[in-house]
Amino acid sequence: MQKTLKQLHEELKNGTITVESLVIECKKTIAEKDGDIHALLGLYSDSLISSQIVVAEKMFKDGKANTLTGIPIVIKDNILVKGELATGGSKILEKYHATYDATVIKKLKEAGAILIARANMDEFAMGGSTENSAFGVTKNPHDITRVAGGSSGGSAAVVAYGGVPVSLGSDTGGSIRQPASLCGVVGLKTTYGDVSRYGVMAMGSSLDQIGPFGNSVEDVEEVYKIISGYDELDSTSLSNESRKPKVENLKKIIGIPMSFVNREGIDKEVLDNFNISIDMMKNFGYIIKDINIEYLEKALSVYYILMPAEVSSNLARYDGIRFGLSHPGETSIQSYFESRTAGFGPEVRRRILLGTYVLSSGYHDAYYNKANLVREMLRKEFEKVFQEVDVIATPTSPVPAFKIGEKSQDPLAMYLADIFTVPVNIVGVPAISIPSGKTSSGLPLGMQFVASHMSEGTLFTIGKEFELAIIK
Ligand code: GLN
């Protein structure tokens, strides 16, 4: 499924293909390839898929179709689709059926998209390799001995192997961009508050955002246009006032925090590819400027304090009583213990422990409050830098796809893989990962561009030029 959304739209419109034939084709590719890759946790019910096909075909007949009408799309399994399973990659929700549609799902349904399957993910989006899924690892379509990245590994892999043209993931510290980079597709993390989080399982509520995967910047932009927008059901949703389109006057300057990028632990091929690819942007008249972002080195530490704090509080709702796995004990406390022990995997437990620790009295000031202060300082630094540059560029990941099992016993090594993506969530700005070539052994690499608040448009403009620069 390497055709662009616009090409597919043309074919659907002029009748070369039908919505139904497109869905059948996607299901066929999935049936052929997903056995090896395990990007998906399951297809949505036949009744949902067929009713959506009817809606989409009617929209074409009535002349009301848009670029997403009739397009099969895969959804990360932490986004609720009414009546369908939504596990969050966790045993605790293995049999949970969503009782309502997330706002993004409502928007996709209204646009006539065909929700086709649920994507595998690290349990509750905690991880960078999809090895923390309770339902088995997702393998990288470019080399099945390697990880697809995470936590949205399934959403990235299914687009990479051609099962669907686009998918949705969520990004709390890099979970869209990193798997996009490792699988060789485009992934967009939107501005915090841009896309509604209503109906998305919360991980770190001050960091989480939903965003699309696709084969090109243009395809990702098409999905973005449908899913973004104010939502009164999400109290952090940006108001229409603050969304007024900015006049985009590009300065034609790309900033690179070179001392941060050229660091210990970065793979040599990643660094070489980064330098070569960014140099190509000079052909489009860009000036490349070395910049210094103070406190950038602190972002990962800030993240691993704030995120677990929010995780520990958000995951309190899985108590074995209201919904999900239930192991009744003699007392309520025993029921909580037994249900949560049976339902949560080791990484989720580790983060709940870390989170309760940093929030506990006596440590709250030393860790949580301090991390919030540094967060504020970092935000100001980014604002300052964006006075001078259009975008900041870094590699998306310091390493290409690693071997399955290579980092799973070493959480710190896994956390370090987020070094370039995490700062973006800390400050709440948008960023995109775009394929930038391959290693000598054929593993995909990705370039990350970061723009200022609500400047997704800048990412699309520069991203499309970057794609052209890389093809040349
Ligand atoms: N890999 C990061 C983590 O484990 C990011 C996860 C995410 O963005 N959901 O926290």
Side-chain angles (χ1 to χ4, degrees):
M1 188 58 52
Q2 299 299 348
K3 286 181 188 155
T4 68
L5 289 186
K6 285 189 177 158
Q7 280 168 338
L8 288 170
H9 178 68
E10 274 314 303
E11 292 186 12
L12 286 166
K13 208 163 73 180
N14 65 30
T16 328
I17 56 171
T18 64
V19 177
E20 193 170 12
S21 70
L22 184 56
V23 171
I24 290 172
E25 196 192 322
C26 287
K27 280 191 177 172
K28 201 170 139 235
T29 311
I30 288 169
E32 276 165 19
K33 306 220 164 138
D34 210 66
D36 285 340
I37 306 293
H38 191 44
L40 304 178
L41 293 175
L43 295 175
Y44 287 120
S45 61
D46 286 341
S47 59
L48 175 68
I49 297 177
S50 46
S51 66
Q52 293 175 122
I53 295 176
V54 173
V55 170
E57 276 171 352
K58 184 162 185 324
M59 285 172 78
F60 273 104
K61 224 192 280 138
D62 297 347
K64 293 195 174 131
N66 59 73
T67 338
L68 269 196
T69 309
I71 301 292
I73 184 166
V74 158
I75 309 293
K76 187 174 182 178
D77 211 24
N78 58 353
I79 305 177
L80 306 189
V81 178
K82 188 173 179 182
E84 302 289 332
L85 278 171
T87 68
S90 179
K91 272 242 165 305
I92 212 161
L93 292 182
E94 189 169 10
K95 300 197 171 100
Y96 173 71
H97 286 80
T99 52
Y100 64 97
D101 277 335
T103 296
V104 285
I105 297 302
K106 192 167 157 266
K107 288 184 177 222
L108 288 174
K109 284 184 174 173
E110 280 165 9
I114 315 289
L115 312 176
I116 188 165
R118 305 180 289 117
N120 195 15
M121 55 181 283
D122 283 301
E123 185 173 8
F124 290 118
M126 297 176 210
S129 64
T130 318
E131 289 167 291
N132 297 336
S133 165
F135 308 111
V137 60
T138 295
K139 299 177 186 125
N140 194 306
H142 296 266
D143 174 352
I144 59 167
T145 66
R146 293 176 186 270
V147 300
S151 63
S152 314
S155 307
V158 69
V159 173
Y161 76 60
V164 280
V166 283
S167 64
L168 287 191
S170 67
D171 192 313
T172 304
S175 277
I176 293 176
R177 292 157 286 156
Q178 186 256 23
S181 170
L182 270 46
C183 288
V185 297
V186 179
L188 170 74
K189 181 253 173 227
T190 51
T191 301
Y192 182 74
D194 186 353
V195 176
S196 168
R197 294 184 294 116
Y198 178 73
V200 182
M201 294 174 198
M203 177 181 162
S205 306
S206 76
L207 305 151
D208 301 341
Q209 265 297 284
I210 299 178
F213 289 88
N215 290 306
S216 64
V217 173
E218 184 187 75
D219 282 2
V220 158
E221 182 180 6
E222 289 301 321
V223 180
Y224 169 76
K225 281 195 238 162
I226 302 284
I227 61 172
S228 73
Y230 172 69
D231 180 15
E232 61 177 8
L233 297 172
D234 175 354
S235 61
T236 60
S237 183
L238 291 170
S239 67
N240 286 327
E241 193 54 30
S242 56
R243 288 169 188 272
K244 283 210 176 114
K246 280 192 206 151
V247 194
E248 258 187 64
N249 256 337
L250 290 190
K251 304 177 208 42
K252 293 260 174 186
I253 304 178
I254 298 176
I256 298 178
M258 206 53 216
S259 58
F260 182 64
V261 169
N262 193 357
R263 60 188 306 109
E264 204 193 309
I266 188 165
D267 182 277
K268 172 144 186 345
E269 286 198 78
V270 169
L271 189 60
D272 289 348
N273 171 272
F274 174 73
N275 287 327
I276 293 169
S277 339
I278 208 66
D279 219 44
M280 304 215 191
M281 289 304 275
K282 289 184 184 157
N283 297 336
F284 284 85
Y286 285 91
I287 296 167
I288 313 297
K289 189 175 170 190
D290 190 4
I291 52 168
N292 178 42
I293 306 177
E294 198 110 25
Y295 314 115
L296 203 48
E297 286 290 346
K298 305 274 183 263
L300 200 61
S301 315
V302 168
Y303 177 77
Y304 277 97
I305 292 172
L306 296 182
M307 174 273 297
E310 295 180 19
V311 160
S312 72
S313 139
N314 273 327
L315 268 61
R317 75 194 65 186
Y318 305 107
D319 55 10
I321 292 174
R322 284 170 287 188
F323 49 81
L325 187 80
S326 182
H327 281 208
E330 272 171 29
T331 62
S332 323
I333 289 289
Q334 259 174 14
S335 302
Y336 297 159
F337 275 139
E338 290 188 16
S339 306
R340 287 165 72 85
T341 304
F344 287 149
E347 184 61 26
V348 169
R349 286 187 221 172
R350 179 179 295 123
R351 297 198 191 194
I352 293 174
L353 284 173
L354 274 174
T356 19
Y357 177 75
V358 299
L359 287 175
S360 57
S361 93
Y363 294 105
H364 188 277
D365 284 349
Y367 297 114
Y368 185 74
N369 288 356
K370 204 184 233 170
N372 263 322
L373 283 177
V374 179
R375 180 181 208 174
E376 210 35 56
M377 279 148 56
L378 198 58
R379 220 177 244 150
K380 294 215 171 92
E381 272 294 303
F382 270 71
E383 266 172 32
K384 207 166 79 194
V385 167
F386 283 124
Q387 307 280 322
E388 288 173 39
V389 304
D390 301 311
V391 287
I392 300 165
T394 68
T396 307
S397 162
V399 288
F402 39 92
K403 290 268 185 195
I404 293 170
E406 186 184 321
K407 294 189 200 287
S408 48
Q409 297 313 315
D410 184 353
L412 280 183
M414 188 78 90
Y415 296 172
L416 270 170
D418 302 329
I419 189 88
F420 298 133
T421 50
V422 149
V424 171
N425 302 71
I426 298 290
V427 299
V429 292
I432 196 165
S433 177
I434 306 173
S436 59
K438 288 189 173 166
T439 63
S440 48
S441 55
L443 297 174
L445 298 168
M447 170 72 72
Q448 171 176 247
F449 289 114
V450 183
S452 67
H453 201 70
M454 281 310 291
S455 291
E456 275 80 353
T458 304
L459 294 179
F460 299 143
T461 308
I462 295 182
K464 285 174 199 166
E465 288 174 334
F466 182 72
E467 285 176 327
L468 291 175
I470 289 297
I471 291 167
K472 266 193 201 158

